[in-house]
Every structure is written in structure tokens, then in C-alpha cells.
Amino acid sequence: MPGYLVRVSTHLGSGLDHVAYEVNGELIVRRSRETDPTTRAELTRREAGLLAAVRPWSAVAVPEVVFADEEYGVLAYRKLAGSPLLDHPGADPRPLAAAAAAFLDRLHRAPVTAMATLVPVEDEPLAEWLDDARRTYTAVSARLPAAARTRVEAFLAAAPPAEPERTVFCHADLGAEHLLVDPEARTITGVIDWADAAIADPARDFAKLYRDLGPRAFGELLAGYDHPVDDADLARTRFYARCALIEDLEYGLDTGDRRYVEAALTHLAPTFA
């Protein structure tokens, strides 16, 4: 951006895949944590193309790329309105259900064949998810109260649900940290971080909403979602949600980000009910 004067740069946070900064209060700049130059360039190129392709299929705002520097793995986009739901732990999630339903209803209609040229197909067996959750749990179990450990360990000891029968285009990481909201208007203003988008089980998109909005708001979401959802879909939704909660708890403890730890502990009882 020749001639652009950087007055202030603020570190927003670090995830597993990226480090994010806010520049001049108007740009979000994300740098990939991938160390292999070829892979880093490909991931950056792919995400820039994906963000352009996904805009017609999103019922809310998504990032519009200002520039992509493939060599350094950097994407920049204009800051979207709102702030992450993760930063509003006391907000009532039920008013968000209708907007979340409209978002997923449209997103899951995106053409799979076209989107598959931009994102991978993810079809890992659910048994692998469960194995990962079991390994992760060993690192966090000591931080949980006894009653919580009983619930989680019962889940980890059980067999996974049946494999999905269909796949759709998914955001695949639709947690509270990636949902931008206006707490006053009580609506979703945007969805960010599409790096994990994939052709995958639609329950992947339900799972973190089930975890972060709670079962009651999630029930209202399903009422506005215009695709068939059966008991098998709901079983996988709860399964993914529980795996994701364990993963986020470990992430929060490892990084010292108390938002993830507190959210995981808050949502643990309803998610594992």
C-alpha cells in the first residue's frame, strides 16, 4: 500500500494458524504461522481466493482482501463492524440464533464442486477425532472439578457416532472468536477467519454454535435452518462440540488466554449434558 502511513499497530492475538494485528484502527493484518515458504504461499493464495468466492454465499459480512503478500503469508482486509462474541461472555445468545441460521442456510447451499477447487475435503473418521480428544484431555484433566471430569471421561469412553452421509461447504471453525457481533443491536455483523474452510460434515458448522450459544439458542437456530437435520446430525454436532471444547481449554491454558479457559469452563456442563 504505497503511501499508507502506519500510525499505530496493535497485536490482537495469536491462534494456531495466524497472528493478527489491527493497523490504524481500520485494517486487520493476519500473518501465517506456517514455516514452510511454499505451503505458506499456497495457503495465503488460497484464502484470498476463497474470501472472494464466499462473499456471494454469506448472509453477513466477510473480509474483503486489500492485499495478499504470499511470500510472507500476510493477508490484510478492512476491519469489519462488531467485535468477537468471545469478548462478550455475558451476552444473551438467543437473539443471534436467527442470523446464524440464515448464515448457515445460505452457506451450505454453496456449490460443492466449485468450492472444492479452493478448499480441501475433510473426512477424517470420527474415531480419529475421539483419539485426539483423549490425548488432549490428559493435558487438561487436572484443571477440571471432579464432577466435570466424570462427564468428560464418560464421553471419551463411549464410541463415536456414525459417520456423516453428506458433506457441504463449511466454515468449519465457527466459534465465538470468529463471530463478530453488535451487542447493542444483538445481531451478527460478520464472520472472520476462513482458513479452516472445507468440504465437510455440516455438523462441523453446528458444533461450535451449539457449544457457544447453548442448547436453547441452538434449538432456535435449527428452527430457522432450511435443510433437513436428523438425530444422527445432532449426535455428531454434540460430538464435535465436546471435542472442540476440550481442544479450546487446552489452547487457553497453553497460551494463557483466559477468555478460552473461562468460556470452556462456562460451557462445559451444557455441552456435556
Side-chain angles (χ1 to χ4, degrees), residues 139-140 247-257 261:
V140 302
E247 180 183 33
D248 274 16
L249 178 58
E250 182 194 40
Y251 174 77
L253 291 171
D254 284 350
T255 62
D257 192 330
V261 175

Side-chain angles (χ1 to χ4, degrees), residues 98-153:
F103 171 76
L104 286 182
D105 187 57
R106 182 160 180 78
L107 189 72
H108 290 173
R109 297 180 190 275
V112 170
T113 301
M115 291 302 186
T117 64
L118 297 168
V119 300
V121 175
E122 294 191 352
D123 54 2
E124 298 89 346
L126 271 63
E128 292 185 10
W129 284 72
L130 191 58
D131 287 343
D132 287 343
R134 288 167 177 157
R135 286 190 292 269
T136 302
Y137 178 67
T138 61
V140 302
S141 59
R143 305 297 294 268
L144 298 177
R149 290 200 299 271
T150 298
R151 290 187 178 193
V152 176
E153 289 167 10

Side-chain angles (χ1 to χ4, degrees), residues 59-259:
V60 300
V62 299
E64 185 172 2
V65 176
V66 175
F67 70 80
D69 187 322
E70 296 175 9
E71 179 183 359
Y72 289 98
V74 172
L75 281 179
Y77 58 86
R78 300 289 177 189
K79 183 180 178 181
L80 300 180
S83 54
L85 178 61
L86 186 65
D87 294 335
H88 304 281
D92 181 0
R94 288 174 297 173
L96 306 178
F103 171 76
L104 286 182
D105 187 57
R106 182 160 180 78
L107 189 72
H108 290 173
R109 297 180 190 275
V112 170
T113 301
M115 291 302 186
T117 64
L118 297 168
V119 300
V121 175
E122 294 191 352
D123 54 2
E124 298 89 346
L126 271 63
E128 292 185 10
W129 284 72
L130 191 58
D131 287 343
D132 287 343
R134 288 167 177 157
R135 286 190 292 269
T136 302
Y137 178 67
T138 61
V140 302
S141 59
R143 305 297 294 268
L144 298 177
R149 290 200 299 271
T150 298
R151 290 187 178 193
V152 176
E153 289 167 10
F155 162 71
L156 296 174
E163 297 293 332
E165 296 183 357
R166 73 184 183 104
T167 56
V168 299
F169 173 68
C170 293
H171 179 281
D173 194 12
L174 205 55
E177 67 274 26
H178 299 146
L179 284 180
L180 300 182
V181 301
D182 180 338
E184 298 299 324
R186 302 196 298 176
T187 190
I188 298 172
T189 59
V191 172
I192 58 175
D193 198 345
W194 292 77
D196 291 325
I199 307 302
D201 181 357
R204 290 274 301 277
D205 276 346
F206 292 146
K208 290 188 177 182
L209 293 172
Y210 176 86
R211 180 195 68 185
D212 295 340
L213 301 185
R216 184 175 178 183
F218 182 74
E220 296 180 16
L221 182 158
L222 287 182
Y225 179 75
D226 194 24
H227 299 264
V229 178
D230 60 21
D231 289 344
D233 295 322
L234 297 178
R236 294 194 315 280
T237 295
R238 291 188 290 269
F239 173 83
Y240 293 128
R242 293 166 181 175
C243 292
L245 189 148
I246 296 170
E247 180 183 33
D248 274 16
L249 178 58
E250 182 194 40
Y251 174 77
L253 291 171
D254 284 350
T255 62
D257 192 330
R258 293 298 304 175
R259 298 176 304 164

